[in-house]
Amino acid sequence: MKEIVLDTETTGLSIKEGHRIVEIGCIELENLIPTKNIFHFYLNPEGKKVSQKAFEVHGYSDEFLSTQKKFNEIVDDFLEFIKNKSLIIHNAEFDIAHLNNELNFLGKNKIQNKIIDTLTLAREKYPGSQVNLDALCKRFRIDNSRRTHHTALIDCDLLTKVYINLIDQK
């Protein structure tokens, strides 16, 4: 069984305010074990400036992002990478909304994959507890010291370990 752990970073929180994806990271799992297959790109948000709050979260400057590929240059490879695989995402509503927004700009169909939202799993398993990625890493004794900023691939790596603990497969 192949699954994809997925994370994005954005210029800001709201697609209604025109915010765009600036990084996408995916790690493929086969039977809950990471394969060597990853998908990772920094993305040019095509003129949308990174909000101060988003910059504080991920640290990607407008200058750095202006030299990166645009979503339309990687979209076909991305869709092929996730094709017919379940997506494991922490706070899936956020990432899927941004991904579908980018796909909509290009006239492409929304993501139809099965979605496993680890935020929902964590809320069900630990009602009333903090269930952000850092709190879950602490709960499961997962070393997240590399996470000085939120970056898609580091977050995917941590989420892989969190997910395995959430479903009691450690």
Side-chain angles (χ1 to χ4, degrees), residues 45-61:
E46 302 184 60
K48 182 65 180 175
K49 300 291 184 203
V50 174
S51 71
Q52 183 59 37
K53 223 171 186 158
F55 179 77
E56 290 166 11
V57 169
H58 54 60
Y60 305 139
S61 69

Side-chain angles (χ1 to χ4, degrees), residues 32 121 125-126 136-137 139-142 158-170:
L32 301 176
L121 291 176
K125 194 165 186 171
Y126 306 109
L136 291 168
C137 285
R139 175 181 287 278
F140 298 129
R141 296 183 182 91
I142 296 165
L158 294 172
L159 185 57
T160 296
K161 295 167 182 156
V162 164
Y163 174 62
I164 289 166
N165 279 274
L166 277 173
I167 62 170
D168 296 321
Q169 297 295 315
K170 54 182 183 266

